[in-house]
């Protein structure tokens, strides 16, 4: 499995740290309409947002587990879409928010410092980076059309 980066967080940076599992989930939504006779009829509504789940581990042999754990917790807390990037630097086309994070401590040293931990991170596709950005782009897209109509129609009051 290739190395994948979620923003600046490596979900595996070498052979040792690579994700040990990945699940990609895609779904479609259908409405079901009851009919008088026979089976219900399906009507396609559309696609749901994609989700991905990664299982991986961090160990002091190749990184600072405390730092990596803090990065994961920050990504979960900020709720901001982050790009998913492959090891070759290619963006995998979508941005994701951290929907769920599960951390299991595997080993600590005598002072209680984290030595190794396993993590499962659930990502949800975020096609729009922000609701405000979406509304602004829609408004900008419609503004020239509205202004154009006002200038060409003499009966339209301004």
């Amino acid at each position: 499995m290739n190395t994948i980066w979620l923003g600046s967080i490596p979900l595996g940076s070498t052979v040792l740290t690579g994700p040990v599992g990945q699940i990609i989930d895609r779904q479609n939504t259908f409405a079901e309409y009851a009919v008088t006779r026979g089976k219900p009829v399906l009507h396609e509504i559309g696609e749901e947002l994609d989700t991905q789940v990664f299982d991986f581990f961090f160990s002091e042999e190749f990184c600072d587990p405390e730092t990596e754990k803090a990065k994961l917790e920050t990504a979960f807390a900020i709720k901001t879409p982050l790009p998913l990037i492959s090891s070759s630097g290619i963006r995998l086309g979508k941005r994701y928010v951290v929907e769920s994070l599960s951390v299991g401590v595997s080993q600590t040293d005598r002072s209680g410092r984290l030595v190794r931990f396993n993590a499962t991170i659930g990502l949800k596709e975020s096609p729009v980076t922000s609701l405000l950005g979406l509304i602004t782009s829609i408004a900008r897209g419609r503004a020239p059309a509205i202004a154009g109509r006002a200038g060409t129609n003499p009966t339209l009051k301004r």
Side-chain angles (χ1 to χ4, degrees):
M1 189 177 293
N2 287 338
T3 304
I4 296 175
W5 292 73
L6 176 65
S8 66
I9 305 166
L11 303 182
S13 58
T14 65
V15 177
L16 294 174
T17 65
V20 294
Q22 178 183 11
I23 297 170
I24 300 171
D25 187 25
R26 294 183 176 99
Q27 295 181 354
N28 287 317
T29 301
F30 295 92
E32 198 173 292
Y33 299 105
V35 294
T36 306
R37 295 177 189 221
K39 291 188 174 188
V41 177
L42 287 180
H43 175 82
E44 178 187 353
I45 302 296
E47 287 185 67
E48 295 293 322
L49 296 173
D50 293 347
T51 59
Q52 293 198 35
V53 177
F54 292 94
D55 293 321
F56 51 95
F57 68 93
F58 291 100
S59 178
E60 72 175 356
E61 299 163 348
F62 42 79
C63 70
D64 179 13
E66 295 280 350
T67 302
E68 299 305 321
K69 183 174 174 271
K71 286 182 186 178
L72 290 171
E73 289 173 347
T74 301
F76 177 78
I78 62 173
K79 300 169 185 69
T80 301
L82 299 169
L84 208 56
I85 304 167
S86 73
S87 58
S88 58
I90 298 171
R91 285 185 180 242
L92 301 177
K94 297 180 181 174
R95 298 172 67 86
Y96 291 86
V97 293
V98 179
E99 184 176 36
S100 63
L101 176 64
S102 175
V103 175
V105 176
S106 301
Q107 185 178 1
T108 59
D109 63 11
R110 291 179 191 223
S111 66
R113 194 173 84 58
L114 191 59
V115 172
R116 181 183 169 114
F117 73 94
N118 301 319
T120 300
I121 189 169
L123 306 176
K124 183 167 273 208
E125 177 185 10
S126 179
V128 178
T129 55
S130 74
L131 189 56
L132 180 62
L134 174 65
I135 292 169
T136 304
S137 67
I138 290 170
R140 283 186 188 147
R142 297 193 65 148
I146 293 169
R149 278 188 244 136
T152 58
N153 188 350
T155 60
L156 188 63
K157 292 185 181 180
R158 294 185 183 190

